[in-house]
């Protein structure tokens, strides 16, 4: 399978990990310019009133462009505590929340300086929870990857209302608020993990129909 290039992501969506597990060699871009309103510093979960966007706030640079590796997190507000309370409220009744909460809670307690470091530690923990052992490397220059690498840096984005990745057809699973809202596709990996636990990897594998 070809290598794949992805952006860094904050508790990335199901689409991100569905792609990730099918590519043994994954590159994470660290030399692109930071882009607002993307999964680089936000994720979507499902709450009692609908979809909730959780945003990791960043310190704004002096210029309009800043490399993603240089973007720093802002702690002017106590967003970590507030977001963890939101996650607990949304998923406390899910089947596997208690099983994984000790793995996830530290990311809403410990302060990280840089967004990229924060995201990479989150990603490492998610991979450990799912027992995924793919090779993950940071790029050494902008899009510096082997020839033939699939570039999904901007394809997996909340700005793409119509998914350009035709292979991604999210498999439905039972969510906390399914009876109220129906199935909400492509939420944060947290939603799938808390609801499906050890079945998460199977759902991810079967959400790329191209590979079946």
């Amino acid at each position: 399978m070809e290598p794949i290039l992805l952006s860094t992501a904050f508790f990335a969506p199901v689409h991100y990990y569905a792609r990730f597990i099918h590519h043994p060699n994954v590159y994470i871009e660290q030399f692109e310019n930071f882009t607002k309103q993307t999964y680089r510093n936000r994720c979507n979960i499902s709450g009692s009133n609908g979809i909730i966007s959780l945003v990791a706030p960043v310190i704004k640079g002096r210029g309009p462009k800043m490399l993603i590796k240089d973007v720093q997190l802002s702690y002017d507000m106590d967003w970590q505590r507030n977001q963890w309370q939101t996650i607990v409220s949304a998923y406390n009744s899910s089947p596997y929340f208690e099983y994984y909460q000790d793995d996830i809670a530290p990311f809403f307690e410990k302060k990280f300086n840089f967004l990229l470091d924060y995201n990479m530690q989150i990603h490492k923990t998610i991979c450990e929870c799912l027992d995924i052992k793919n090779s993950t490397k940071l790029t050494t220059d902008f899009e510096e990857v082997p020839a033939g690498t699939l570039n999904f840096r901007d394809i997996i984005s909340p700005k793409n209302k119509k998914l350009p990745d035709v292979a991604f057809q999210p498999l439905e699973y039972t969510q906390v608020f399914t009876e109220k809202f129906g199935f909400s596709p492509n939420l944060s990996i947290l939603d799938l993990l808390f609801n499906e636990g050890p079945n998460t990897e199977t759902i991810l594998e079967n959400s790329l129909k191209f590979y079946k």
Side-chain angles (χ1 to χ4, degrees):
M1 190 63 63
E2 309 96 322
I4 190 171
L5 174 65
L6 299 170
S7 70
T8 182
F10 172 60
F11 290 108
V14 170
H15 186 188
Y16 188 101
Y17 281 100
R19 270 292 172 185
F20 181 84
I21 65 171
H22 282 91
H23 298 269
N25 296 300
V26 181
Y27 292 86
I28 306 294
E29 183 61 73
Q30 66 169 331
F31 288 96
E32 64 176 355
N33 291 323
F34 173 68
T35 306
K36 298 178 180 178
Q37 298 181 346
T38 66
Y39 293 126
R40 290 160 180 82
N41 72 319
R42 69 174 55 217
C43 68
N44 294 326
I45 65 171
S46 179
S48 58
N49 293 317
I51 304 302
I52 302 170
S53 289
L54 303 180
V55 179
V58 300
I59 298 175
K60 298 176 181 177
R62 295 180 179 178
K65 296 182 179 180
M66 180 179 292
L67 295 182
I68 191 72
K69 71 181 185 67
D70 297 325
V71 175
Q72 294 180 282
L73 290 163
S74 172
Y75 295 98
D76 291 341
M77 299 178 63
D78 192 6
W79 59 272
Q80 288 178 298
R81 181 175 62 85
N82 293 336
Q83 288 190 11
W84 181 244
Q85 289 177 346
T86 299
I87 290 171
V88 171
S89 177
Y91 295 108
N92 191 44
S93 63
S94 63
Y96 295 96
F97 178 76
E98 290 187 1
Y99 186 83
Y100 292 109
Q101 65 173 332
D102 289 343
D103 296 305
I104 304 302
F107 293 107
F108 298 92
E109 298 166 353
K110 179 182 177 181
K111 287 181 169 57
F112 289 75
N113 190 12
F114 291 95
L115 174 65
L116 180 61
D117 293 338
Y118 184 46
N119 286 349
M120 292 303 290
Q121 285 299 314
I122 289 171
H123 177 68
K124 179 182 177 182
T125 297
I126 294 297
C127 288
E128 289 172 350
C129 288
L130 300 177
D131 196 28
I132 299 174
K133 296 180 173 63
N134 297 28
S135 171
T136 305
K137 299 178 182 178
L138 291 170
T139 56
T140 56
D141 202 349
F142 182 66
E143 294 190 358
E144 187 67 32
V145 294
T149 299
L150 299 178
N151 190 338
F152 272 70
R153 211 167 38 85
D154 294 314
I155 289 178
I156 301 176
S157 170
K159 296 181 180 182
N160 293 330
K161 302 303 180 183
K162 292 184 178 180
L163 292 173
D165 183 6
V166 294
F168 179 61
Q169 298 179 34
L171 194 69
E172 292 192 16
Y173 56 93
T174 301
Q175 298 169 321
V176 176
F177 301 103
T178 296
E179 292 186 4
K180 187 174 183 181
F181 300 113
F183 177 66
S184 299
N186 206 31
L187 296 179
S188 166
I189 190 65
L190 289 177
D191 186 84
L192 180 53
L193 190 66
F194 291 148
N195 282 302
E196 290 290 339
N199 196 39
T200 293
E201 188 171 0
T202 299
I203 292 174
L204 291 173
E205 289 175 348
N206 287 289
S207 289
L208 278 187
K209 303 301 182 182
F210 180 78
Y211 294 103
K212 290 188 67 176

